[in-house]
Amino acid sequence: MTKIFPRSRALSVADDPRWARIVARDRTADGQLWYSVSTTGVYCRPSCASRAANPKNVALHDTLESARATGFRPCKRCNPDGLSLKCENAALVARACRMIEEREEEPSLEELAEAVHRSPSYFHRLFKSATGLTPKDYAAADRAKKVREGLKIGNSVTEAIYDAGFNSSGRFYEKSTGILGMTPTQYRGGGANEEIKFAVGQTSLGAILVASSKKGVASILLGDDPDKLVRDLQDRFPKAHLVGADREYEALIARVVGFVENPHIGLDLPLDVRGTAFQRRVWQALQEIPVGQHVSYAEIARRIGSPNAVRAVAGACAANNLAVAIPCHRVVRNDGALSGYAWGVARKRALLEREASQTV
């Protein structure tokens, strides 16, 4: 007797894992697959925002040529033959950034939006999502960068100020300390003659170095070797005048050590926070995380209004000079796993466990 084997059922579109990416409008799938819809006679990219089609009427394509071979027309909404919306928006933002950088005077939001053919409100949201900054903050950061570059190549303070696009020296000097972390003259000299006081102490997590400028605490460093921490400080302030601790300053480091051991007491000390506008926004968000809690890098990106800037958030955490005072140790991966920490993952784990136990 001849056996009759049932025919294997072809995988339906609904069961195909590629269909799930289309349902999710996965932008990362753009350029990797396309789909066509027989009832509308169009083909689309996976991220298309059109109403979801019935999978019975859909065909999946691994190449753009295959989608075109259906004889259908390209969707006008998602433009599958051209750049993806993400790439198109990135190009618009890049164009606006070049416009900001090349203009002598800061262009208005309306001028930027008109140049890229978008409404001011939409462009503002788009720019902030892509860069982590508003157009105004980006322009301010660009002017600050130009001032720093001008001072480094030997321009006079006045030349650097006006070459960077500041309309008056008065406007710059109002913000100079926040922009440079010191006076323009000191910055031009590479921080020469800036006095930095420091002291080294010991905590249950190892050695700790605290350093302060006239403005406030500028560095809190953790490590195993006190001498290495001092060398690290010298590298951070190569032309500054480092002054060892006196009795009064040793009292300050005792307060910092107490804070490390018991974070719930808080650290009511002025901080000299030196960083870009974006880094400052990230660090401010970190300081708002309650003791005993932790959040993901993606959550911090959302909190500062830049959900696509997860990598930049991680970079800002890595650039933090103020261990514990700016609690970058409270930021973890999406799955809760610990990621890198400038002062060692073991210390990060110990800090989180200590805060969690003290919160209970």
Side-chain angles (χ1 to χ4, degrees):
M1 186 173 78
T2 303
K3 280 189 175 182
I4 300 176
F5 294 95
R7 292 182 181 178
S8 58
R9 185 172 64 88
L11 187 68
S12 70
V13 168
D15 295 329
D16 193 307
R18 293 175 295 175
W19 176 246
R21 301 183 74 180
I22 293 169
V23 172
R25 296 188 171 94
D26 182 0
R27 290 183 178 179
T28 64
D30 288 349
Q32 298 179 25
L33 67 112
W34 291 258
Y35 70 97
S36 58
V37 185
S38 59
T39 51
T40 58
V42 300
Y43 60 89
C44 305
R45 64 176 71 248
S47 65
C48 184
S50 300
R51 186 174 63 180
N54 188 325
K56 294 181 180 179
N57 303 320
V58 170
L60 304 178
H61 309 277
D62 290 324
T63 66
L64 181 57
E65 288 71 21
S66 173
R68 287 172 175 165
T70 60
F72 297 159
R73 63 177 176 81
C75 173
K76 293 182 179 179
R77 187 163 190 174
C78 69
N79 186 24
D81 289 348
L83 292 174
S84 68
L85 180 62
K86 184 177 181 181
C87 291
E88 185 179 336
N89 286 341
L92 294 180
V93 171
R95 181 179 171 188
C97 289
R98 300 296 82 76
M99 186 174 172
I100 291 171
E101 293 163 3
E102 293 169 2
R103 289 275 291 270
E104 290 187 6
E105 294 187 5
E106 178 186 339
S108 67
L109 174 62
E110 289 71 22
E111 287 179 289
L112 292 170
E114 183 179 357
V116 298
H117 309 294
R118 297 293 186 274
S119 71
S121 58
Y122 177 83
F123 173 72
H124 189 275
R125 293 194 301 272
L126 175 65
F127 192 96
K128 187 175 181 181
S129 175
T131 67
L133 300 172
T134 65
K136 189 172 186 65
D137 286 341
Y138 185 90
D142 179 63
R143 289 199 306 272
K145 176 185 175 183
K146 289 175 180 175
V147 170
R148 290 193 292 268
E149 290 174 347
L151 294 174
K152 284 180 179 178
I153 65 174
N155 289 348
S156 69
V157 174
T158 302
E159 285 175 330
I161 290 171
Y162 284 100
D163 286 348
F166 284 93
N167 294 325
S168 70
S169 58
R171 286 181 59 195
F172 172 76
Y173 277 103
E174 288 175 3
K175 304 176 181 180
S176 63
T177 302
I179 291 173
L180 302 175
M182 60 190 75
T183 68
T185 302
Q186 287 174 329
Y187 189 90
R188 185 169 178 244
N193 300 322
E194 181 187 19
E195 184 175 281
I196 300 291
K197 291 184 178 181
F198 75 95
V200 177
Q202 195 69 27
T203 74
S204 58
L205 299 177
I208 185 170
L209 183 147
V210 181
S212 300
S213 66
K214 291 182 179 180
K215 186 178 178 181
V217 178
S219 283
I220 299 176
L221 311 177
L222 299 172
D224 298 315
D225 183 353
D227 291 336
K228 187 175 180 180
L229 292 181
V230 175
R231 291 195 298 271
D232 187 5
L233 180 67
Q234 291 172 331
D235 291 339
R236 293 169 189 264
F237 301 94
K239 295 187 179 181
H241 179 48
L242 302 183
V243 179
D246 53 22
R247 187 179 297 273
E248 181 181 350
Y249 196 77
E250 287 178 348
L252 181 144
I253 197 171
R255 291 174 62 184
V256 177
V257 170
F259 173 65
V260 172
E261 302 298 342
N262 184 7
H264 289 274
I265 66 175
L267 185 64
D268 187 20
L269 290 171
L271 301 179
D272 182 357
V273 181
R274 306 183 183 193
T276 65
F278 180 81
Q279 287 172 335
R280 287 167 177 262
R281 287 173 55 212
V282 172
W283 296 338
Q284 179 61 46
L286 300 184
Q287 290 176 288
E288 293 170 2
I289 304 173
V291 177
Q293 296 185 20
H294 59 264
V295 301
S296 67
Y297 294 98
E299 175 60 23
I300 291 295
R302 285 191 290 270
R303 290 185 184 185
I304 64 173
S306 304
N308 295 325
V310 177
R311 285 190 178 182
V313 167
C317 290
N320 175 28
N321 291 328
L322 290 156
V324 187
I326 296 178
C328 55
H329 62 276
R330 295 177 191 159
V331 188
V332 299
R333 293 176 180 165
N334 286 334
D335 60 1
L338 302 188
S339 54
Y341 185 54
W343 297 283
V345 174
R347 286 191 179 85
K348 182 171 187 172
R349 181 178 293 106
L351 284 166
L352 290 174
E353 289 176 352
R354 175 177 300 173
E355 293 180 356
S357 65
Q358 291 176 356
T359 302
V360 177

